[in-house]
Structures are given as structure tokens and as C-alpha cells.
Coordinates of all heavy atoms in Angstrom, one line a residue:
M130 N -1.1 -15.7 15.5 CA -1.8 -14.6 14.9 C -1.1 -14.1 13.6 O 0.0 -14.4 13.4 CB -1.9 -13.4 15.9 CG -2.9 -13.7 17.0 SD -3.7 -12.2 17.5 CE -3.1 -12.1 19.2
I131 N -1.9 -13.5 12.8 CA -1.4 -13.0 11.5 C -1.7 -11.5 11.4 O -2.8 -11.0 11.7 CB -2.1 -13.7 10.4 CG1 -1.9 -15.2 10.5 CG2 -1.7 -13.2 9.0 CD1 -2.8 -16.1 9.6
R132 N -0.7 -10.8 11.0 CA -0.8 -9.3 10.8 C -0.6 -9.0 9.3 O 0.3 -9.5 8.7 CB 0.2 -8.6 11.6 CG 0.4 -7.1 11.2 CD -0.7 -6.1 11.6 NE -1.1 -6.2 13.0 CZ -0.5 -5.6 14.0 NH1 0.6 -4.9 13.9 NH2 -1.0 -5.7 15.2
L133 N -1.5 -8.3 8.7 CA -1.4 -7.8 7.4 C -1.3 -6.3 7.4 O -2.2 -5.6 8.0 CB -2.6 -8.2 6.5 CG -2.8 -9.7 6.4 CD1 -4.1 -9.9 5.5 CD2 -1.7 -10.4 5.8
N134 N -0.3 -5.7 6.7 CA -0.3 -4.3 6.4 C -0.5 -4.1 4.9 O 0.3 -4.6 4.1 CB 1.1 -3.7 6.8 CG 1.3 -3.8 8.3 OD1 0.4 -3.7 9.1 ND2 2.6 -4.0 8.7
V135 N -1.6 -3.5 4.6 CA -1.9 -3.3 3.2 C -1.7 -1.8 2.9 O -2.5 -1.0 3.3 CB -3.4 -3.7 2.9 CG1 -3.7 -3.6 1.4 CG2 -3.6 -5.2 3.4
F136 N -0.7 -1.5 2.1 CA -0.4 -0.2 1.7 C -1.2 0.2 0.4 O -1.2 -0.6 -0.5 CB 1.1 0.0 1.5 CG 1.8 -0.1 2.8 CD1 2.4 -1.3 3.1 CD2 2.0 1.0 3.7 CE1 3.1 -1.5 4.3 CE2 2.7 0.8 4.8 CZ 3.2 -0.4 5.2
I137 N -1.8 1.3 0.4 CA -2.6 1.8 -0.7 C -2.1 3.1 -1.2 O -2.0 4.0 -0.4 CB -4.1 1.9 -0.3 CG1 -4.6 0.6 0.3 CG2 -5.0 2.4 -1.5 CD1 -6.0 0.7 1.0
Q138 N -1.7 3.2 -2.4 CA -1.3 4.4 -3.0 C -2.3 4.9 -4.0 O -2.6 4.1 -5.0 CB 0.1 4.3 -3.7 CG 0.7 5.6 -4.1 CD 2.1 5.5 -4.5 OE1 2.7 4.5 -4.7 NE2 2.8 6.7 -4.6
V139 N -2.8 6.1 -3.8 CA -3.9 6.6 -4.7 C -3.7 8.1 -4.9 O -3.3 8.8 -4.1 CB -5.3 6.3 -4.0 CG1 -5.4 7.0 -2.6 CG2 -6.4 6.7 -4.9
G140 N -4.1 8.5 -6.2 CA -4.0 9.9 -6.5 C -5.1 10.7 -5.9 O -6.1 10.1 -5.5
A141 N -4.9 12.0 -5.9 CA -5.8 12.9 -5.2 C -7.2 12.8 -5.8 O -8.2 12.9 -5.1 CB -5.3 14.3 -5.4
E142 N -7.4 12.6 -7.1 CA -8.7 12.5 -7.8 C -9.5 11.3 -7.4 O -10.7 11.4 -7.5 CB -8.5 12.6 -9.3 CG -7.9 11.4 -9.9 CD -6.4 11.2 -9.8 OE1 -5.7 12.2 -9.3 OE2 -5.9 10.2 -10.2
K143 N -8.9 10.3 -6.9 CA -9.6 9.1 -6.5 C -9.5 8.8 -5.0 O -10.1 7.8 -4.5 CB -9.1 7.9 -7.3 CG -9.3 8.0 -8.8 CD -8.8 6.9 -9.6 CE -9.0 7.1 -11.1 NZ -8.4 6.1 -11.9
R144 N -8.9 9.6 -4.3 CA -8.6 9.4 -2.9 C -9.9 9.2 -2.0 O -10.0 8.3 -1.2 CB -7.7 10.5 -2.3 CG -7.2 10.2 -0.9 CD -6.3 11.3 -0.4 NE -5.6 10.9 0.8 CZ -6.2 11.0 2.0 NH1 -7.5 11.4 2.1 NH2 -5.6 10.7 3.1
Q145 N -10.8 10.1 -2.2 CA -12.0 10.1 -1.4 C -12.8 8.8 -1.6 O -13.4 8.3 -0.7 CB -12.9 11.3 -1.6 CG -12.3 12.6 -1.0 CD -12.0 12.4 0.5 OE1 -10.8 12.4 0.9 NE2 -13.0 12.3 1.3
E146 N -12.9 8.4 -2.9 CA -13.6 7.2 -3.2 C -12.9 6.0 -2.5 O -13.6 5.1 -2.0 CB -13.7 7.0 -4.7 CG -14.6 5.8 -5.1 CD -14.7 5.7 -6.6 OE1 -14.2 6.5 -7.4 OE2 -15.4 4.7 -7.0
V147 N -11.6 5.9 -2.6 CA -10.8 4.8 -2.0 C -11.0 4.8 -0.5 O -11.2 3.8 0.2 CB -9.4 4.9 -2.4 CG1 -8.5 3.9 -1.6 CG2 -9.2 4.6 -3.9
V148 N -11.0 6.0 0.1 CA -11.2 6.1 1.6 C -12.6 5.6 2.0 O -12.7 4.8 2.9 CB -11.0 7.5 2.1 CG1 -11.5 7.7 3.5 CG2 -9.5 7.9 2.0
A149 N -13.6 6.0 1.2 CA -15.0 5.5 1.5 C -15.1 4.0 1.4 O -15.7 3.3 2.2 CB -15.9 6.2 0.6
L150 N -14.5 3.4 0.3 CA -14.6 2.0 0.1 C -13.8 1.3 1.2 O -14.2 0.2 1.7 CB -14.0 1.6 -1.2 CG -14.8 2.0 -2.5 CD1 -14.0 1.9 -3.7 CD2 -16.1 1.1 -2.6
S151 N -12.7 1.8 1.6 CA -11.8 1.2 2.7 C -12.5 1.3 4.0 O -12.5 0.3 4.8 CB -10.5 2.0 2.8 OG -9.8 1.8 1.6
K152 N -13.2 2.4 4.3 CA -14.0 2.5 5.6 C -15.1 1.4 5.6 O -15.4 0.9 6.6 CB -14.5 3.9 5.8 CG -13.4 4.9 6.2 CD -14.0 6.2 6.4 CE -12.9 7.2 6.8 NZ -13.5 8.6 7.1
E153 N -15.7 1.2 4.4 CA -16.8 0.2 4.3 C -16.2 -1.2 4.6 O -16.8 -2.0 5.3 CB -17.5 0.3 3.0 CG -18.7 -0.6 2.8 CD -19.3 -0.4 1.4 OE1 -19.0 0.5 0.7 OE2 -20.1 -1.3 1.1
L154 N -15.0 -1.4 4.0 CA -14.4 -2.7 4.2 C -14.0 -2.9 5.7 O -14.2 -4.0 6.2 CB -13.1 -2.8 3.3 CG -12.3 -4.0 3.4 CD1 -13.0 -5.3 3.0 CD2 -11.0 -3.9 2.6
V155 N -13.5 -1.9 6.3 CA -13.1 -2.0 7.7 C -14.3 -2.3 8.6 O -14.3 -3.2 9.4 CB -12.4 -0.7 8.2 CG1 -12.3 -0.6 9.7 CG2 -11.0 -0.5 7.5
A156 N -15.4 -1.6 8.4 CA -16.6 -1.8 9.2 C -17.1 -3.2 9.1 O -17.5 -3.8 10.1 CB -17.7 -0.8 8.8
A157 N -17.2 -3.7 7.9 CA -17.7 -5.1 7.7 C -16.7 -6.1 8.2 O -17.1 -7.1 8.8 CB -17.9 -5.3 6.2
S158 N -15.4 -5.9 8.0 CA -14.4 -6.9 8.4 C -14.3 -7.0 9.9 O -13.9 -8.1 10.4 CB -13.0 -6.5 7.8 OG -13.1 -6.5 6.4
L159 N -14.5 -5.9 10.6 CA -14.5 -6.0 12.1 C -15.5 -7.0 12.6 O -15.3 -7.5 13.8 CB -14.7 -4.6 12.7 CG -13.5 -3.7 12.6 CD1 -14.0 -2.2 13.0 CD2 -12.4 -4.1 13.5
K160 N -16.5 -7.3 11.9 CA -17.5 -8.3 12.3 C -17.2 -9.7 12.0 O -17.8 -10.6 12.4 CB -18.9 -7.9 11.7 CG -19.4 -6.5 12.1 CD -20.6 -6.2 11.3 CE -21.0 -4.7 11.6 NZ -22.1 -4.3 10.7
D161 N -16.1 -9.9 11.2 CA -15.7 -11.3 10.8 C -15.2 -12.1 12.0 O -14.4 -11.5 12.8 CB -14.6 -11.2 9.7 CG -15.1 -10.8 8.3 OD1 -16.4 -10.8 8.1 OD2 -14.3 -10.5 7.5
N162 N -15.5 -13.3 12.0 CA -15.1 -14.2 13.0 C -13.5 -14.3 12.9 O -13.0 -14.5 11.9 CB -15.7 -15.6 12.8 CG -15.3 -16.6 14.0 OD1 -15.2 -16.2 15.1 ND2 -15.1 -17.8 13.6
G163 N -12.9 -14.1 14.1 CA -11.4 -14.2 14.1 C -10.7 -12.9 13.9 O -9.5 -12.9 14.0
C164 N -11.4 -11.9 13.6 CA -10.8 -10.6 13.4 C -10.4 -10.0 14.8 O -11.3 -9.8 15.6 CB -11.7 -9.6 12.7 SG -11.0 -8.0 12.4
V165 N -9.2 -9.7 15.0 CA -8.7 -9.2 16.3 C -8.6 -7.6 16.1 O -9.0 -6.9 17.1 CB -7.3 -9.7 16.6 CG1 -6.7 -9.0 17.9 CG2 -7.3 -11.2 16.8
A166 N -8.2 -7.1 15.0 CA -8.1 -5.7 14.7 C -8.2 -5.5 13.2 O -7.7 -6.3 12.5 CB -6.9 -5.1 15.4
Y167 N -8.7 -4.3 12.8 CA -8.8 -4.0 11.4 C -9.0 -2.5 11.4 O -10.0 -2.0 11.9 CB -10.0 -4.7 10.8 CG -9.9 -5.0 9.3 CD1 -9.7 -6.3 8.9 CD2 -10.1 -4.0 8.4 CE1 -9.6 -6.6 7.5 CE2 -10.0 -4.3 7.0 CZ -9.8 -5.6 6.6 OH -9.7 -5.9 5.3
D168 N -8.1 -1.7 10.9 CA -8.1 -0.3 10.9 C -7.5 0.3 9.7 O -6.7 -0.2 9.0 CB -7.4 0.2 12.1 CG -7.9 1.5 12.7 OD1 -8.6 2.2 12.0 OD2 -7.7 1.8 13.9
L169 N -8.0 1.5 9.4 CA -7.5 2.3 8.2 C -6.7 3.5 8.8 O -7.1 4.2 9.6 CB -8.6 2.8 7.4 CG -8.3 3.8 6.2 CD1 -7.5 3.1 5.2 CD2 -9.6 4.4 5.7
F170 N -5.5 3.7 8.2 CA -4.6 4.8 8.6 C -4.3 5.6 7.4 O -4.1 5.1 6.3 CB -3.3 4.3 9.2 CG -3.5 3.5 10.5 CD1 -3.6 2.1 10.4 CD2 -3.6 4.1 11.7 CE1 -3.8 1.4 11.6 CE2 -3.8 3.4 12.9 CZ -3.9 2.0 12.8
E171 N -4.1 6.9 7.6 CA -3.7 7.9 6.6 C -2.4 8.4 6.9 O -2.1 8.8 8.1 CB -4.7 9.0 6.5 CG -6.1 8.5 6.1 CD -7.1 9.7 6.0 OE1 -6.8 10.7 5.3 OE2 -8.2 9.6 6.6
S172 N -1.5 8.4 6.0 CA -0.1 8.9 6.2 C -0.2 10.4 6.6 O -0.9 11.2 6.0 CB 0.8 8.8 5.0 OG 2.0 9.4 5.2
A173 N 0.6 10.8 7.6 CA 0.7 12.2 8.0 C 1.6 13.0 7.1 O 1.6 14.2 7.1 CB 1.2 12.3 9.4
T174 N 2.5 12.3 6.3 CA 3.5 13.0 5.5 C 3.2 12.8 4.0 O 3.8 13.6 3.2 CB 4.9 12.4 5.8 OG1 4.9 11.0 5.6 CG2 5.2 12.8 7.3
R175 N 2.5 11.8 3.6 CA 2.2 11.5 2.1 C 0.7 11.4 1.9 O 0.1 10.4 2.3 CB 2.9 10.3 1.7 CG 4.4 10.4 1.7 CD 5.1 9.3 1.1 NE 4.6 9.0 -0.2 CZ 4.9 7.9 -0.9 NH1 5.6 6.9 -0.3 NH2 4.4 7.6 -2.1
P176 N 0.1 12.4 1.4 CA -1.4 12.3 1.2 C -1.9 11.2 0.2 O -3.0 10.9 0.2 CB -1.7 13.7 0.6 CG -0.5 14.3 0.1 CD 0.6 13.7 0.9
D177 N -0.9 10.7 -0.6 CA -1.3 9.6 -1.5 C -1.2 8.2 -0.9 O -1.5 7.2 -1.6 CB -0.4 9.7 -2.8 CG 1.0 9.5 -2.5 OD1 1.5 9.9 -1.4 OD2 1.7 8.9 -3.4
V178 N -0.9 8.1 0.4 CA -0.7 6.8 1.0 C -1.6 6.6 2.1 O -1.7 7.4 3.1 CB 0.8 6.6 1.5 CG1 1.0 5.3 2.2 CG2 1.8 6.7 0.3
L179 N -2.3 5.4 2.1 CA -3.2 4.9 3.1 C -2.6 3.5 3.5 O -1.9 2.9 2.8 CB -4.6 4.8 2.6 CG -5.3 6.0 2.0 CD1 -6.5 5.6 1.3 CD2 -5.6 7.0 3.0
M180 N -3.1 3.0 4.7 CA -2.7 1.7 5.1 C -3.9 1.1 5.9 O -4.4 1.7 6.7 CB -1.5 1.7 6.0 CG -1.1 0.2 6.3 SD 0.4 0.1 7.4 CE -0.3 0.5 9.0
I181 N -4.2 -0.2 5.5 CA -5.1 -1.0 6.3 C -4.3 -1.9 7.1 O -3.4 -2.7 6.5 CB -6.1 -1.7 5.4 CG1 -7.0 -0.7 4.7 CG2 -6.9 -2.7 6.3 CD1 -8.0 -1.3 3.7
C182 N -4.4 -2.0 8.4 CA -3.7 -2.8 9.3 C -4.7 -3.8 9.8 O -5.7 -3.4 10.5 CB -3.0 -2.0 10.4 SG -2.0 -3.0 11.5
E183 N -4.4 -5.1 9.6 CA -5.4 -6.2 10.0 C -4.6 -7.2 10.9 O -3.5 -7.5 10.7 CB -5.9 -7.0 8.8 CG -6.3 -6.2 7.6 CD -6.5 -7.1 6.4 OE1 -6.9 -8.3 6.6 OE2 -6.4 -6.6 5.3
T184 N -5.3 -7.7 11.9 CA -4.8 -8.7 12.8 C -5.9 -9.8 12.8 O -7.0 -9.5 13.2 CB -4.4 -8.3 14.2 OG1 -3.5 -7.2 14.1 CG2 -3.8 -9.4 15.0
W185 N -5.4 -11.1 12.5 CA -6.3 -12.2 12.5 C -5.9 -13.3 13.5 O -4.7 -13.5 13.7 CB -6.4 -12.8 11.1 CG -7.0 -11.8 10.1 CD1 -6.4 -10.9 9.4 CD2 -8.4 -11.6 10.0 NE1 -7.3 -10.1 8.7 CE2 -8.5 -10.5 9.1 CE3 -9.5 -12.1 10.5 CZ2 -9.8 -10.0 8.7 CZ3 -10.8 -11.7 10.1 CH2 -10.9 -10.6 9.2
R186 N -6.8 -13.9 14.1 CA -6.6 -15.0 15.1 C -5.7 -16.1 14.5 O -4.8 -16.6 15.1 CB -7.9 -15.5 15.7 CG -7.7 -16.6 16.7 CD -9.0 -17.1 17.3 NE -9.8 -17.6 16.2 CZ -11.1 -17.4 16.1 NH1 -11.8 -16.7 16.9 NH2 -11.8 -17.9 15.1
D187 N -6.1 -16.5 13.2 CA -5.4 -17.7 12.6 C -5.7 -17.7 11.1 O -6.4 -16.8 10.6 CB -5.9 -19.0 13.2 CG -7.4 -19.1 13.2 OD1 -8.1 -18.7 12.3 OD2 -8.0 -19.7 14.2
A188 N -5.0 -18.6 10.4 CA -5.1 -18.7 9.0 C -6.5 -19.0 8.5 O -7.0 -18.5 7.4 CB -4.1 -19.7 8.4
E189 N -7.3 -19.8 9.2 CA -8.6 -20.1 8.9 C -9.5 -18.9 8.9 O -10.3 -18.7 8.0 CB -9.2 -21.2 9.8 CG -8.5 -22.6 9.6 CD -7.2 -22.6 10.3 OE1 -6.9 -21.8 11.2 OE2 -6.4 -23.5 9.9
S190 N -9.4 -18.0 9.9 CA -10.1 -16.8 10.0 C -9.8 -15.9 8.8 O -10.7 -15.3 8.2 CB -9.9 -16.1 11.3 OG -10.2 -16.9 12.4
L191 N -8.5 -15.8 8.5 CA -8.1 -14.9 7.4 C -8.7 -15.5 6.0 O -9.2 -14.7 5.2 CB -6.6 -14.8 7.3 CG -6.0 -14.0 6.1 CD1 -6.6 -12.6 6.1 CD2 -4.5 -14.0 6.2
S192 N -8.6 -16.7 5.9 CA -9.1 -17.4 4.6 C -10.6 -17.1 4.5 O -11.1 -16.8 3.4 CB -8.8 -18.9 4.6 OG -9.3 -19.5 3.5
A193 N -11.4 -17.3 5.6 CA -12.8 -17.0 5.5 C -13.1 -15.5 5.2 O -14.0 -15.2 4.4 CB -13.4 -17.4 6.8
H194 N -12.3 -14.6 5.7 CA -12.4 -13.2 5.4 C -12.2 -12.9 4.0 O -13.0 -12.2 3.3 CB -11.4 -12.4 6.3 CG -11.2 -11.0 5.8 ND1 -12.1 -10.0 5.9 CD2 -10.1 -10.5 5.3 CE1 -11.6 -8.9 5.4 NE2 -10.4 -9.1 5.0
E195 N -11.2 -13.6 3.4 CA -10.9 -13.4 2.0 C -11.9 -13.9 1.0 O -12.0 -13.5 -0.1 CB -9.5 -14.0 1.7 CG -8.4 -13.2 2.3 CD -7.0 -13.9 2.2 OE1 -7.0 -15.2 2.0 OE2 -6.0 -13.3 2.4
Q196 N -12.8 -14.7 1.5 CA -13.9 -15.3 0.7 C -15.2 -14.6 1.0 O -16.2 -14.9 0.4 CB -14.0 -16.8 1.0 CG -12.8 -17.5 0.5 CD -12.8 -19.0 0.9 OE1 -13.9 -19.6 1.0 NE2 -11.6 -19.5 1.2
A197 N -15.3 -13.7 2.0 CA -16.5 -13.0 2.4 C -17.0 -12.1 1.3 O -16.2 -11.5 0.6 CB -16.3 -12.3 3.7
A198 N -18.3 -11.9 1.3 CA -18.9 -11.1 0.2 C -18.4 -9.7 0.3 O -18.1 -9.1 -0.8 CB -20.4 -11.1 0.4
H199 N -18.2 -9.1 1.4 CA -17.7 -7.7 1.5 C -16.3 -7.6 1.0 O -15.9 -6.6 0.3 CB -17.8 -7.1 2.9 CG -17.1 -7.9 4.0 ND1 -17.7 -8.9 4.6 CD2 -15.8 -7.8 4.4 CE1 -16.9 -9.4 5.5 NE2 -15.7 -8.8 5.4
F200 N -15.4 -8.6 1.2 CA -14.1 -8.6 0.7 C -14.0 -8.7 -0.8 O -13.4 -8.0 -1.5 CB -13.3 -9.7 1.4 CG -11.8 -9.8 1.0 CD1 -10.9 -9.1 1.7 CD2 -11.4 -10.4 -0.2 CE1 -9.5 -9.1 1.4 CE2 -10.0 -10.5 -0.5 CZ -9.1 -9.8 0.2
T201 N -14.8 -9.7 -1.3 CA -14.7 -10.0 -2.8 C -15.4 -8.9 -3.6 O -15.1 -8.7 -4.8 CB -15.4 -11.3 -3.1 OG1 -16.7 -11.4 -2.7 CG2 -14.6 -12.5 -2.5
A202 N -16.3 -8.1 -2.9 CA -16.9 -7.0 -3.6 C -16.1 -5.7 -3.5 O -15.9 -5.0 -4.5 CB -18.3 -6.7 -3.0
L203 N -15.5 -5.4 -2.4 CA -14.8 -4.1 -2.2 C -13.4 -4.1 -2.6 O -12.9 -3.1 -3.1 CB -15.0 -3.7 -0.7 CG -16.4 -3.4 -0.2 CD1 -16.5 -3.3 1.3 CD2 -16.9 -2.2 -0.9
V204 N -12.6 -5.1 -2.3 CA -11.2 -5.1 -2.6 C -10.9 -4.9 -4.1 O -10.1 -4.1 -4.5 CB -10.5 -6.4 -2.1 CG1 -9.0 -6.5 -2.6 CG2 -10.5 -6.3 -0.5
P205 N -11.6 -5.6 -5.0 CA -11.4 -5.3 -6.5 C -11.7 -3.9 -6.9 O -11.0 -3.3 -7.7 CB -12.4 -6.3 -7.2 CG -12.5 -7.4 -6.2 CD -12.5 -6.8 -4.8
K206 N -12.7 -3.3 -6.2 CA -13.0 -1.9 -6.5 C -11.8 -1.0 -6.1 O -11.5 0.0 -6.8 CB -14.3 -1.4 -5.8 CG -15.5 -2.1 -6.3 CD -16.8 -1.6 -5.6 CE -18.0 -2.2 -6.1 NZ -19.2 -1.8 -5.3
I207 N -11.3 -1.3 -4.9 CA -10.1 -0.5 -4.5 C -8.9 -0.7 -5.4 O -8.2 0.3 -5.8 CB -9.7 -0.8 -3.0 CG1 -10.9 -0.5 -2.1 CG2 -8.4 -0.2 -2.6 CD1 -10.7 -1.0 -0.6
Q208 N -8.7 -1.9 -5.8 CA -7.6 -2.3 -6.7 C -7.7 -1.6 -8.1 O -6.7 -1.3 -8.7 CB -7.5 -3.8 -6.9 CG -7.0 -4.5 -5.7 CD -7.0 -6.0 -5.8 OE1 -7.9 -6.6 -6.4 NE2 -6.0 -6.6 -5.2
E209 N -9.0 -1.3 -8.5 CA -9.2 -0.6 -9.8 C -8.7 0.9 -9.7 O -8.4 1.5 -10.7 CB -10.6 -0.7 -10.2 CG -11.1 -2.0 -10.7 CD -12.6 -2.1 -11.0 OE1 -13.2 -1.0 -11.1 OE2 -13.1 -3.2 -11.1
L210 N -8.8 1.4 -8.5 CA -8.6 2.8 -8.3 C -7.2 3.2 -7.7 O -6.8 4.3 -7.8 CB -9.6 3.4 -7.3 CG -11.1 3.3 -7.7 CD1 -12.0 3.6 -6.5 CD2 -11.4 4.2 -8.9
A211 N -6.5 2.2 -7.2 CA -5.3 2.4 -6.4 C -4.3 1.2 -6.6 O -4.7 0.1 -6.9 CB -5.6 2.7 -5.0
A212 N -3.0 1.5 -6.3 CA -2.0 0.4 -6.2 C -2.0 -0.1 -4.8 O -2.0 0.7 -3.8 CB -0.7 1.0 -6.6
M213 N -2.0 -1.4 -4.6 CA -1.9 -2.0 -3.3 C -0.7 -2.9 -3.1 O -0.3 -3.6 -4.1 CB -3.2 -2.8 -3.1 CG -4.5 -2.0 -3.1 SD -6.0 -3.0 -3.0 CE -6.0 -3.3 -1.2
K214 N -0.1 -2.8 -1.9 CA 1.1 -3.7 -1.6 C 0.8 -4.3 -0.3 O 0.4 -3.7 0.7 CB 2.3 -2.8 -1.6 CG 3.5 -3.7 -1.2 CD 4.8 -2.8 -1.0 CE 5.9 -3.6 -0.4 NZ 6.9 -2.7 0.2
L215 N 1.0 -5.6 -0.2 CA 0.7 -6.4 1.1 C 2.0 -6.9 1.8 O 2.9 -7.4 1.1 CB -0.1 -7.6 0.7 CG -0.4 -8.6 1.8 CD1 -1.4 -8.0 2.8 CD2 -1.0 -9.9 1.2
E216 N 2.0 -6.7 3.1 CA 3.1 -7.2 3.9 C 2.3 -8.2 4.9 O 1.3 -7.8 5.5 CB 3.8 -6.2 4.7 CG 4.6 -5.2 3.9 CD 5.3 -4.2 4.7 OE1 4.9 -4.0 5.9 OE2 6.2 -3.5 4.2
K217 N 2.9 -9.4 5.1 CA 2.2 -10.4 6.0 C 3.2 -10.8 7.0 O 4.4 -11.1 6.7 CB 1.7 -11.6 5.2 CG 1.0 -12.6 6.0 CD 0.5 -13.7 5.0 CE -0.3 -14.7 5.8 NZ -0.8 -15.8 4.9
F218 N 2.8 -10.9 8.3 CA 3.6 -11.3 9.4 C 2.9 -12.3 10.2 O 1.7 -12.1 10.5 CB 4.0 -10.1 10.3 CG 4.6 -9.0 9.5 CD1 3.9 -7.9 9.1 CD2 6.0 -9.0 9.3 CE1 4.5 -6.9 8.4 CE2 6.6 -7.9 8.6 CZ 5.8 -6.9 8.2
N219 N 3.5 -13.4 10.6 CA 3.0 -14.4 11.5 C 3.6 -14.2 12.9 O 4.9 -14.1 13.0 CB 3.2 -15.8 11.0 CG 2.4 -16.1 9.8 OD1 1.2 -16.1 9.8 ND2 3.1 -16.3 8.7
F220 N 2.9 -14.2 13.9 CA 3.4 -14.1 15.3 C 2.6 -14.8 16.3 O 1.5 -15.3 16.0 CB 3.6 -12.6 15.7 CG 2.4 -11.8 15.7 CD1 1.8 -11.5 17.0 CD2 1.8 -11.2 14.6 CE1 0.6 -10.8 17.0 CE2 0.6 -10.5 14.6 CZ 0.0 -10.3 15.9

């Protein structure tokens, strides 16, 4: 399995838009083949930090997700509004 932790840092003026786009991404991604878990978290201590936590069955599932229409449409929009950092773990 593959776990991705995607940290998103966003200013207050763009936060609501990023949250809305992220929720749309989560809802669509949960339907992707091989998606074990996909969730959005908000920091309890830093209002400028969000995290998307993803778990994928295998590399093929993750690759298909990264090519899906919802991913290619929504992730660039989030990247325009916020800074993103990715951590990847195989287990």
C-alpha cells in the first residue's frame, strides 16, 4: 500500500476556496479504483495548514488517480492558491 500526506499551506483570504476544492477532490477520489482512504484534515493549532491523507492499494491505482480528470482539474487549482508539500510512504 501507498500513503500520501499532502500538506497544504494557505492564507486566510484563500482558505475557504482551497477547502472547497479539496473537499471536491476528496469526494471524487474516494470513488477511484484502488482508493483505500482519502480524507481532508484541518490543523487544530495552525489555521493556515490543511492535510490530505491518501491511502492507495498499489502504484497502478495511484498512477490512474493522478491521471483522472478530477485530479488534473482540481490539483492545479489548489496549487495556484496554496503551497503544497508531499510525503510518500510505502508499506
